[in-house]
Amino acid sequence: MNRYIKQVIILAAATPLLCSCLDTVYPTNGMVQEQVNKSTNAIDGLGNAVAQQMMKIGYGYGACGFAGQSLELDAMTGQIPIAQAGYDYYSAFSECNYLGATYTYTYDTWNLYYSIISKANLVLAAGTGVNDASDADAPTVGNALAYRALAYLYLTELYLYRNTGYSQLDAQAKADSVQGLTVPIVTESMQQADGFNNPRAPFYQMYRFILTDLNRAAKLLEGYDRTDANHADAAVVNGLKARLWLWMGSQFENDPEELAEQVAHEGDSNLEGYDKCGVTTAKECFANAMKCAEAAMEGHAPLSKSEWYNATTGFNSANGAWLLAEQIASDDIKDESDNTLDDDWSWKSFTSFISADADFGVAGNASYGASRSIDAQLYSEMNAADWRRSTWIAPEDAGKATSAAKYTTDMTADKFAKFPAYTGLKFKPGNGNVSDYKTGAAVDIPVMRVEEMYFIEAEAAAHVNGVSAGVRLLNDFMNTYRCEATSSDPTPYACSATTLSDFTQELIRQKRIEFWGEGIIPYDYKRLKMGYDLTYEGSNHIEKYQFKLKDGYVCPGLNFCIPNYELQYNKAIRNNPDPSGVLG
């Protein structure tokens, strides 16, 4: 396939019902509101459909649902280098190209999250009378609220424009007055006509909207004991709150004028239906993030070394450390005979793109050069006692069949020898099946793990209680859960940072190792306006993907554009500038 073909959405074929806002009010497929209201068990069925939207296949080559979105962002920010470009289905993101309003990549992101919102809104419209955890439908409605909040939080983080340091983009964003805007809010009570004139909500409104959903979800999910890892419970709600408050804390610390704007709108009459944030300082946001992260940890422990490296279930089966997962069953797997949206799972799945163990797909075929690696510089900075090191092929072991036995892998020794240094072995095919994609691609994929809460707690503590408090928590996590002590060195990991900047750099370094391939770090980069350099000597990034981005700005591609079909039917939309090609 030619990945460089301009994939343009044919607007002539679009209809108003494709508009995300309108699709939510009047869905074009699945259960419509009237069906939900007439069925005694439709709420439960549609409740399951909310989570299933996470695996929504898109038109772009690498658009395999939420997991594909995670890989797109990791590729964009240099977290998962690839050896060759020939079978790189995320090249547009690595190059920061083909990301304007007319491209399928833009459409897929927008459609993914608004599809979640659409299904959630149908549940919420049918469950308007559900206000207490004792109601039989409370878990279903609470789950819909949590997923809607999740979708809006991701949308906010992707579409809220942050300065890039590229004057042509930043000047256009200012001229077009898009700074401070998130995305249109669509609720279960919105009428179809309103979708034609639904502007992007300012951040101060969106934060209160998300918080309101999460507060209501917390009430409805109180005491709920879920049976599936793709359903929300109290830990998920607290985890989402922790993410929200951490984002707000960083935004308001870096941009005090936006804090003043948030506070100034706390009493707006048109927002009185939303819960108030109740904060006046960035420090209060960090304190809330720390409190929510600690609540999310309750009853969950980080992955053990044996769980991390399990050859059959390693990073493909939800366990006690996973707060929320995308779950793909064998029944969800399609083949080339179901050629809708190119959803041939033999090559278009998360496992196909990330698992070097899998013989199906592209990552596991060494001749394609499409396996994903860890950044070489990051690997070199890993603590010698850190047992996560064996997640990737060490340079001294690359090309040696005899070294295969040192790693947890289902590869033959000969196959192992064909992969380059730093190749990732983290994600295993479903049930350890490397040959049959209908089993191997049926996996659980982490959306939120408890380890993230430990990092949020440590980062927030550094802002609330001082750098030393954050250092202590990071040291405790690393020495307790990630580094192997010896009698001569009982605490092999020691963060020695004394400034907030140095501590934040070290914390993000450890998060990059921990969440490789999970799409967590790009949001941190944008939140912290953290630059990165892929041009260093010995870089294992393809030359045309090597960029250097300055601190204080964000990667241009992390300011997503809204697709043309939304602009065509929703006349109130102002779009972010197209970042395509600005990196060179």
Side-chain angles (χ1 to χ4, degrees), residues 76 93-97 164 166 168-169 532 544-549 554-557 579-584:
M76 180 185 288
F93 296 90
S94 295
E95 294 177 309
C96 197
N97 213 350
T164 65
Y166 290 85
Q168 66 270 39
L169 297 180
Y532 50 92
K544 66 177 179 177
Y545 298 167
Q546 291 183 16
F547 303 110
K548 185 174 183 179
L549 298 163
V554 306
C555 172
S580 300
V582 298
L583 294 182

Side-chain angles (χ1 to χ4, degrees), residues 175-197:
D176 294 343
S177 300
V178 300
Q179 292 171 317
L181 300 181
T182 61
V183 296
I185 293 175
V186 183
T187 68
E188 68 275 19
S189 60
M190 178 176 251
Q191 299 301 306
Q192 184 173 9
D194 295 333
F196 288 104
N197 187 34

